[in-house]
Amino acid sequence: MTNPLKDPKTNPFEIATAAAEQIAKLSGVAKHEIALTLGSGWGKAAELIGETVATFDASEVVGFNPPAVVGHSTTIRSIRLHNGKHALVLPRSHWYEGHGIRSVVHPVRTAAAAGVETVVLTNGCGGLNPAWKPGTPILIRDHISLVYKSPIEGANFVDLTDAYSKRLRDLARSVDPTLDEGVYVQFTGPHYETPAEVQMAKAIGGDLVGMSTALETIAARESKLEVLGLSLMTNLAAGIQTTPLSHKEVLEAGKEAEGRISALLAEIIAKL
Ligand code: 8IG
């Protein structure tokens, strides 16, 4: 099946509405209040936050693409939280997968259409601060997108002043007061940065480097969702760590931290 998002004549919000209707049918849950994207290292949180009501493959839902990368999930999961709210765990489509920017933000738009008001975007990333050890979770305070493309279509001048909700960052710190904050710089990937690019990210005010999240946040703000961004620093960025980066090591660092950070995320979600 070809993805209708790839036809520029279609309306991505209509497709998101259709996707949300399919999710309501497949899950038996009419309205979800919270959406989560669980990046590298965060997957276990889905087990901890409540009771899974339904799981299905995202390819059953319009606009979602088939799997691409080892370690990434394409399952959609509907969870009934311990407090009775309903959360939707959605897969991520990365810019580097080449399905286009509409695919990158389709999960967020689908969440909004499903009734969601709060979206929790998590990722694995590289860190610029040598004091951060691999396996450290960091709150995203702000971002810089080096994708140089907006997911917004048409002249909709979305404000991003408080894109990563101060209220939600404070709430996260009420669970773990040791959580640090940082500015996330989204590169296109899939290659990691050169050491010179990492120094550029630092010079322009970045603390974290990754390949996701910023575009999703922009679309989330367009759809009036409140955003909580959490990064798992799995590696020091290229040139800051002296050894070469490997996807395998990144996955291992994620696995090592997974139990700890997923428990943290579950505690935060219980307070949303
Ligand atoms: I995990 O060092 C992970 N994702 N761009 N750079 C970028 N993305 C990443 C990195 C990193 N580590």
Side-chain angles (χ1 to χ4, degrees):
M1 189 187 75
T2 59
N3 190 331
L5 289 171
K6 293 187 182 176
D7 175 356
K9 291 191 296 297
T10 60
N11 179 334
F13 293 98
E14 283 173 11
I15 296 165
T17 299
E21 282 165 8
Q22 289 176 323
I23 288 171
K25 269 210 190 84
L26 286 162
S27 66
V29 176
K31 180 183 187 311
H32 289 83
E33 287 92 13
I34 295 165
L36 300 146
T37 302
L38 301 175
S40 307
W42 297 92
K44 272 214 170 65
E47 311 290 342
L48 304 176
I49 59 179
E51 178 205 338
T52 297
V53 173
T55 53
F56 40 92
D57 201 272
S59 56
E60 291 182 53
V61 177
V62 66
F64 286 83
N65 298 303
V69 178
V70 182
H72 293 169
S73 160
T74 55
T75 302
I76 294 179
R77 199 194 266 247
S78 172
I79 301 173
R80 190 173 182 280
L81 302 183
H82 301 305
N83 63 14
K85 289 187 184 175
H86 291 276
L88 203 50
V89 180
L90 293 168
R92 171 171 273 142
S93 176
H94 295 80
W95 170 252
Y96 59 71
E97 288 170 48
H99 295 299
I101 202 159
R102 283 179 164 191
S103 283
V104 174
V105 297
H106 183 58
V108 159
R109 287 179 176 157
T110 297
V116 164
E117 286 162 14
T118 306
V119 65
V120 182
L121 300 172
T122 68
N123 61 53
C125 73
L128 305 193
N129 179 348
W132 288 337
K133 299 279 166 288
T136 306
I138 316 274
L139 280 169
I140 302 176
R141 182 180 73 238
D142 201 349
H143 78 227
I144 295 169
S145 174
L146 297 182
V147 181
Y148 293 119
K149 209 173 157 45
S150 177
I152 296 169
E153 299 179 26
N156 183 1
F157 304 106
V158 174
D159 175 58
L160 297 174
T161 307
D162 192 22
Y164 298 86
S165 163
K166 171 84 165 52
R167 186 183 80 82
L168 294 181
R169 282 183 279 131
D170 288 343
L171 187 145
R173 265 190 304 261
S174 76
V175 172
D176 180 357
T178 69
L179 273 174
D180 258 337
E181 290 192 341
V183 173
Y184 180 92
V185 184
Q186 179 171 3
F187 284 82
T188 61
H191 54 283
Y192 294 115
E193 298 69 36
T194 63
E197 287 164 342
V198 168
Q199 288 307 311
M200 175 190 75
K202 196 171 171 183
I204 62 178
D207 302 295
L208 305 163
V209 288
M211 307 177 190
S212 68
T213 307
L215 298 178
E216 295 153 40
T217 294
I218 296 167
R221 296 306 297 151
E222 178 187 31
S223 290
K224 307 277 192 272
L225 304 183
E226 196 173 10
V227 178
L228 175 65
L230 276 164
S231 285
L232 170 67
M233 202 281 267
T234 61
N235 56 280
L236 286 170
I240 294 184
Q241 77 169 47
T242 47
T243 50
L245 274 57
S246 87
H247 183 56
K248 189 166 158 283
E249 278 174 53
V250 159
L251 290 179
E252 283 167 5
K255 273 233 151 48
E256 190 278 316
E258 193 156 31
R260 186 164 32 91
I261 60 162
S262 297
L264 167 70
L265 180 54
E267 264 193 80
I268 295 170
I269 286 166
K271 292 197 163 196
L272 289 178

